[in-house]
Amino acid sequence: MVETCTTSKTPSKRVAWPHTAAIVLLLAGLAGCTYSDHAAEPAAAVQSTPAPTTSSAAKPALSGETVRDSFGNVDFYTTAAGDTLAAVAKAYKLSEAKVAEFNGLQPGTPLTPGTKLRLLPSGPTRGAMGAATGDVNGIPMDYTVEPDDSLAGITYRFNLTEEQLAEANKVPFAYEKGNVFFIQAGRAIRLQKNPVDSRSGSGTEVNNSFGQTVFYTTVDGDSFDSLGYKFRSTTAQILLYNPSLAADQPIPPGTKVRLIPGALKIEGAQGSFTADANGIPLTYTTAPGDTERQIVFRFGATDLRAANRPSKGTGGAWYEFTDLPAGELAPGQTISVALDKPINNPER
């Protein structure tokens, strides 16, 4: 099992400020699926965290023990003989002033061996003013968003990247995009992953031409959590796309799991489609009320316009809109949902 917290004698590089994650649009509802408000997956009722363990990796610059979160970020360092605030700060890509501030010390304060130093803020900060829950080792586990919080503030306070925050919450991205806001006042968000079996995630993937996984064949150790973290799908989504699975039952190895709606019609993507022999969608015929963004989500077609460029010129896509500001397409158009099999019509 992958533990939520482990200890190691190898210092880890301080996580950088957020970077942009790969873009995939997400689902918020079930039967009437739009992605304008996608709630995070509920946390387990009881979350136990194994006690830190010690490992001996490559010879580190610092010899003290560390406590890491579920992503491997070092949140705490226990000092050894000869350590200084400046040396600890340098090892973890922080300023000495920041390490001192996190621990209520003055820069230059001598360190006693065995001192447990925080490498992340100890409490609310600008952009992350709410209360967080932690495990027995002090690793932040859950957080409820407050008004005026920001993504930058939350990732800084909890020593995470945007990508890691998205993974913990099983969503494709955490930053603001297309009027979808992950950071919303009152939303309870996860800051860590649940432990998953180390054997999970090694099954066979079938990807479409946009690089999105359409099907995954499970192996021993796979679970709804392991699939959710790997493919950014909530348990509710996986169950919706795969009616043969049950939330209270393990997923048998060798199960071919669908990871996009595909055959499931969703709000804003109600039309019919064709697929190849492997089940990868190829073309789609639009229905009244369909929008670009929902077609993209239903088929994992992350660059729909590139699959439907005009035969002449380079601008835009050839398909027609009923309502361009809303992204609503005219019904009855057969468009490509496969980048390697584009439909190129004359520029209009």
Side-chain angles (χ1 to χ4, degrees), residues 1-248:
M1 297 290 289
V2 176
E3 296 179 344
T4 301
C5 299
T6 61
T7 59
S8 169
K9 293 192 175 182
T10 305
S12 172
K13 182 177 179 179
R14 171 75 175 182
V15 174
W17 275 69
H19 65 277
T20 301
I23 300 175
V24 187
L25 296 174
L26 69 137
L27 180 68
L30 296 183
C33 305
T34 67
Y35 60 82
S36 60
D37 183 19
H38 178 27
E41 185 75 0
V46 178
Q47 171 68 38
S48 60
T49 304
T53 58
T54 302
S55 64
S56 56
K59 184 66 176 176
L62 298 177
S63 58
E65 291 187 346
T66 59
V67 177
R68 300 171 183 265
D69 68 11
S70 62
F71 297 99
N73 304 318
V74 178
D75 287 350
F76 298 93
Y77 172 75
T78 300
T79 59
D83 284 344
T84 64
L85 271 179
V88 172
K90 182 178 180 180
Y92 294 105
K93 309 301 180 185
L94 291 163
S95 69
E96 182 178 356
K98 282 296 181 186
V99 177
E101 176 189 332
F102 297 161
N103 292 278
L105 302 173
Q106 292 296 319
T109 300
L111 298 177
T112 302
T115 300
K116 186 177 182 180
L117 293 177
R118 297 185 62 90
L119 299 175
L120 72 172
S122 59
T125 61
R126 187 177 67 175
M129 295 301 295
T133 61
D135 67 7
V136 294
N137 298 304
I139 300 296
M141 301 297 291
D142 300 278
Y143 178 73
T144 301
V145 180
E146 292 284 326
D148 300 323
D149 277 357
S150 66
L151 181 60
I154 290 171
T155 53
Y156 172 72
R157 176 177 169 184
F158 299 114
N159 191 20
L160 298 169
T161 65
E162 290 181 8
E163 177 77 9
Q164 290 167 345
L165 186 61
E167 184 177 353
N169 289 278
K170 301 179 182 178
V171 297
F173 53 79
Y175 58 87
E176 300 172 1
K177 178 177 175 59
N179 296 321
V180 178
F181 300 90
F182 179 75
I183 302 303
Q184 297 180 359
R187 168 175 282 174
I189 61 176
R190 291 283 292 164
L191 302 172
Q192 302 299 327
K193 302 182 294 182
N194 292 327
V196 297
D197 195 303
S198 61
R199 299 171 296 173
S200 66
S202 58
T204 302
E205 299 176 27
V206 178
N207 297 335
N208 65 15
S209 54
F210 300 95
Q212 301 303 306
T213 303
V214 177
F215 298 103
Y216 171 78
T217 302
T218 59
V219 296
D220 278 324
D222 274 324
S223 63
F224 287 108
D225 275 344
S226 70
L227 296 185
Y229 298 137
K230 183 177 178 67
F231 298 110
R232 307 301 171 80
S233 295
T234 66
T235 298
Q237 287 174 320
I238 294 172
L239 290 170
L240 182 62
Y241 308 156
N242 300 271
S244 64
L245 301 179
D248 58 351

